[in-house]
Amino acid sequence: MDHQHTRELIQTHQSIRKFKDTEVSENIVTDLVESARWAPTSHHVQAYTVIRVRDQEKRDAISEVAANQKYVRESPLFLVFVADWHKHVITSEKYDTNYELEETENVLVGAVDVALAAENVLLTARSYGLGGVMIGGVRNDLHRVAEILELPKHTFPVMGLCLGYPDQDPGQKPRFPKPMILHEDRYEAERYHEGLDEYERVTSDYYEKRTNGKKTDGWGVNMVNYLATPRRQQVTTFLKDQGFTLK
């Protein structure tokens, strides 16, 4: 195994939002799905489904939900990752047994299964020279996305993924330094107090250079603004409508 190549794929991640007008071959798509299939999964439940969206009207409609992000409409390959317990309901009904899916635990299991499968797909795509960006904006209106994709009960969209051959090199956003990530034996909150000021400076410099001075706020200011307003308040209603009462 080429450990260096694997590390480079993981540690050079950047979100790609502009793509060349080159199709992704069916052989590559097949391999991406194969990588999704072999992602870790809780208790072997495999609580996810991947929907490849090719229909342009559906693409346009999902793009509208996702804050009109044009790369949802234009990327050569667009996938939606769905947490999926519907197949388990079918199985339970086949064996004429009861099923208990209302708990919050099942929402977490589905979301984690999806995330692991999606990351496998992204890393495999990058091994082919593709780039991509995750689209959390599909959760802006879950009822609408469910309608577009004809999702059954006991499913919910978690994220989209745009993929294609990169036509940009935006650079990497600075991540938290290791001391702010790795704690020893307990949650060491003091690490954040020690590291936030420097991280604010680093991220402020990054945004200033990336936007030619149009944006200078660092991570902390961005997070304060992000957290100051309730977000996607319809998510809980949608989950309950789909059979997850969050017990």
Side-chain angles (χ1 to χ4, degrees):
M1 180 181 293
D2 188 342
H3 299 293
Q4 182 176 353
H5 180 60
T6 301
R7 289 198 306 274
E8 286 178 356
L9 286 179
I10 295 171
Q11 296 176 13
T12 59
H13 167 75
Q14 56 181 333
S15 293
I16 300 297
R17 296 176 172 86
K18 186 178 180 183
F19 305 96
K20 295 178 180 177
D21 188 20
T22 305
E23 292 298 315
V24 179
S25 74
E26 289 304 308
N27 286 340
I28 291 178
V29 174
T30 297
D31 203 29
L32 299 182
V33 175
E34 190 68 8
S35 291
R37 289 181 60 236
W38 288 102
T41 174
S42 176
H43 206 69
H44 202 214
V45 295
Q46 303 169 83
Y48 65 91
T49 288
V50 185
I51 299 178
R52 179 182 185 179
V53 186
R54 306 174 87 169
D55 182 276
Q56 193 60 51
E57 289 187 4
K58 291 179 181 286
R59 286 270 206 116
D60 293 345
I62 295 173
S63 176
E64 289 179 13
V65 170
N68 291 309
Q69 297 176 98
K70 67 178 183 178
Y71 28 93
V72 173
R73 298 192 302 271
E74 299 174 356
S75 62
L77 179 62
F78 180 61
L79 308 173
V80 176
F81 290 81
V82 178
D84 179 10
W85 290 98
H86 179 68
K87 60 173 69 78
H88 304 80
V89 171
I90 293 174
T91 302
S92 295
E93 291 175 346
K94 176 181 178 180
Y95 288 95
D96 194 26
T97 58
N98 189 33
Y99 51 87
E100 297 288 341
L101 291 175
E102 293 85 357
E103 284 78 15
T104 304
E105 167 69 3
N106 293 317
V107 173
L108 292 175
V109 167
V112 170
D113 268 16
V114 161
L116 293 171
E119 181 68 1
N120 267 17
V121 168
L122 179 57
L123 287 172
T124 302
R126 293 203 58 224
S127 76
Y128 283 104
L130 300 171
V133 61
M134 302 289 191
I135 307 295
V138 299
R139 300 192 302 277
N140 288 347
D141 188 344
L142 288 168
H143 289 91
R144 177 65 178 135
V145 173
E147 177 185 33
I148 294 166
L149 298 179
E150 301 176 38
L151 299 183
K153 198 170 182 180
H154 299 109
T155 68
F156 57 94
V158 178
M159 70 186 76
L161 176 58
C162 296
L163 290 170
Y165 292 95
D167 195 24
Q168 64 174 173
D169 184 11
Q172 291 184 284
K173 290 182 182 179
R175 297 303 205 246
F176 285 139
K178 180 181 174 182
M180 294 177 70
I181 294 295
L182 179 63
H183 299 198
E184 297 288 344
D185 293 326
R186 66 177 181 86
Y187 191 96
E188 299 176 89
E190 62 271 16
R191 288 176 178 262
Y192 296 111
H193 296 287
E194 295 167 358
L196 277 177
D197 287 344
E198 175 62 15
Y199 187 60
E200 189 74 1
R201 184 192 65 76
V202 169
T203 51
S204 176
D205 289 347
Y206 163 81
Y207 283 116
E208 183 175 10
K209 292 175 182 176
R210 179 171 172 176
T211 65
N212 293 319
K214 294 179 181 179
K215 181 178 179 180
T216 59
D217 291 336
W219 180 86
V221 174
N222 286 321
M223 287 301 102
V224 167
N225 294 333
Y226 178 87
L227 296 171
T229 304
R231 302 179 64 83
R232 296 172 180 154
Q233 292 173 286
Q234 42 78 37
V235 170
T236 301
T237 300
F238 176 80
L239 289 174
K240 290 181 177 179
D241 289 344
Q242 287 295 93
F244 305 96
T245 54
L246 309 182
K247 289 182 178 178

